[in-house]
Amino acid sequence: MTGSPATRTPPAAAAVHEHGWLVESAHRTSEGIVQYVRCADCGVRRVDVAAVPAVVPGAVSRELG
């Protein structure tokens, strides 16, 4: 992998399975609730944001791993 942690491309193996996301931490912002999540299986991470708590969060970053 090359680049800074924020721009690294995930390994090809990370895209082989459906990720099971675990919330590592979360906080409220002006954009909604930001969640830092990690795949329980492969450890890849991403950042999600939910504009309204009742809405399923959507990824706002690429998967990092």
Side-chain angles (χ1 to χ4, degrees), residues 8-62:
R8 287 184 183 158
T9 305
V16 175
H17 71 278
E18 185 172 336
H19 298 291
W21 300 110
L22 300 172
V23 177
E24 292 189 316
S25 66
H27 63 271
R28 292 187 184 277
T29 68
S30 60
E31 298 294 318
I33 298 172
V34 174
Q35 297 178 332
Y36 298 88
V37 298
R38 177 182 51 86
C39 177
D41 191 36
C42 69
V44 168
R45 289 181 163 85
R46 75 175 191 200
V47 179
D48 292 351
V49 65
V52 179
V55 175
V56 175
V60 293
S61 72
R62 287 192 254 167

